[in-house]
């Protein structure tokens, strides 16, 4: 019996196709191309779990061939859904980490995007409309990447405000610390106001 691993989303002809749909097409191809017309192919699907404490689930589809009343498993196709494994670290990160990753990609790809906006490529973006749409979506991603960093002054301002309220009695004798906290709050409020306008 042959064992196969199916990775969804890698083919461009059929997007977002599950292992069951792929196995159905494979079974139909075997039915059509089998020289012996009496052979019948069927599929059977089962769910399985893997990883630490069954963290991930997958599907396995077995293709069976019935020849003269005797069934034999000829192929088993396992689905490897890479998306949960690929996105685990990103989903568990905070907003600053996500924004840092997105901003890093934006900074690295910005020269290529500007080049593709003005210079035709042999691999794609032949129409001006498509190039402008790609640049527009890139700018939206850039705004999202910067938005996380704009939350940093708000977080610091919030922390300073809470520190000022909680420890007002402890540091009331030292007026220089209170003055520094007030100046930092004012600066961060101006940064937030400017970022809201942008």
């Amino acid at each position: 019996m042959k064992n196969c691993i199916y990775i969804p989303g890698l083919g461009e002809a059929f997007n977002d196709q599950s292992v069951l749909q792929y196995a159905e097409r494979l079974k139909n191809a075997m039915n059509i191309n089998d020289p012996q017309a009496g052979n019948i192919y069927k599929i059977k699907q089962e769910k399985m779990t893997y990883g630490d404490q069954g963290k991930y689930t997958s599907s396995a589809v077995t293709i069976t061939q019935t020849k003269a009343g005797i069934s034999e498993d000829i192929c088993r196709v396992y689905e490897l859904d890479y998306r949960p494994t690929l996105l685990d670290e990103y989903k568990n990160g905070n907003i600053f980490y996500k924004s840092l990753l997105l901003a890093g990609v934006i900074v690295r790809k910005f020269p290529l995007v500007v080049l593709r906006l003005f210079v035709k490529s042999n691999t794609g973006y032949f129409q001006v409309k498509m190039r402008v749409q790609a640049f527009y979506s890139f700018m939206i991603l850039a705004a999202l990447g910067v938005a996380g960093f704009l939350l940093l002054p708000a977080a610091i301002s919030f922390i300073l405000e809470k520190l000022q309220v909680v420890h007002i009695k402890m540091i009331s004798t030292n007026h220089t610390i209170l003055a520094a906290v007030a100046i930092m709050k004012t600066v961060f409020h101006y940064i937030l106001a400017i970022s809201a306008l942008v």
Side-chain angles (χ1 to χ4, degrees), residues 22 100 135 177:
Y22 175 77
L100 180 67
F135 185 73
I177 295 176

Side-chain angles (χ1 to χ4, degrees), residues 5 13 24 45 53 69 77 82 105 119 130 149 172 182 189 195:
I5 297 175
E24 186 72 32
Q45 182 183 20
Q53 292 116 15
V77 183
Y82 58 90
V105 170
V119 179
M130 299 246 334
F149 293 115
S172 61
H189 282 290
S195 67

Side-chain angles (χ1 to χ4, degrees), residues 25-127:
R25 286 194 303 121
L26 184 60
K27 177 197 73 140
N28 290 339
M30 289 178 176
N31 269 332
I32 292 169
N33 295 321
D34 195 347
Q36 297 178 356
N39 294 344
I40 299 171
Y41 295 90
K42 294 182 180 177
I43 59 174
K44 179 178 68 173
Q45 182 183 20
E46 58 186 276
K47 296 282 185 185
M48 52 187 289
T49 59
Y50 62 97
D52 296 334
Q53 292 116 15
K55 185 177 180 181
Y56 304 111
T57 60
S58 181
S59 296
V61 178
T62 306
I63 300 176
T64 60
Q65 177 188 39
T66 306
K67 184 190 297 186
I70 300 170
S71 292
E72 177 188 3
D73 294 342
I74 57 167
C75 183
R76 188 167 192 158
V77 183
Y78 296 94
E79 182 176 32
L80 175 63
D81 192 7
Y82 58 90
R83 287 170 283 204
T85 308
L86 185 66
L87 297 176
D88 261 353
E89 184 181 348
Y90 181 76
K91 283 184 178 179
N92 294 334
N94 60 19
I95 187 72
F96 299 116
Y97 176 71
K98 291 177 182 179
S99 296
L100 180 67
L101 287 178
L102 185 59
V105 170
I106 296 296
V107 167
R108 279 190 307 166
K109 296 297 181 182
F110 187 74
L112 180 66
V113 169
V114 171
L115 179 70
R116 291 288 186 253
L117 180 64
F118 297 111
V119 179
K120 283 188 179 180
S121 168
N122 293 335
T123 59
Y125 297 120
F126 293 112
Q127 300 174 354

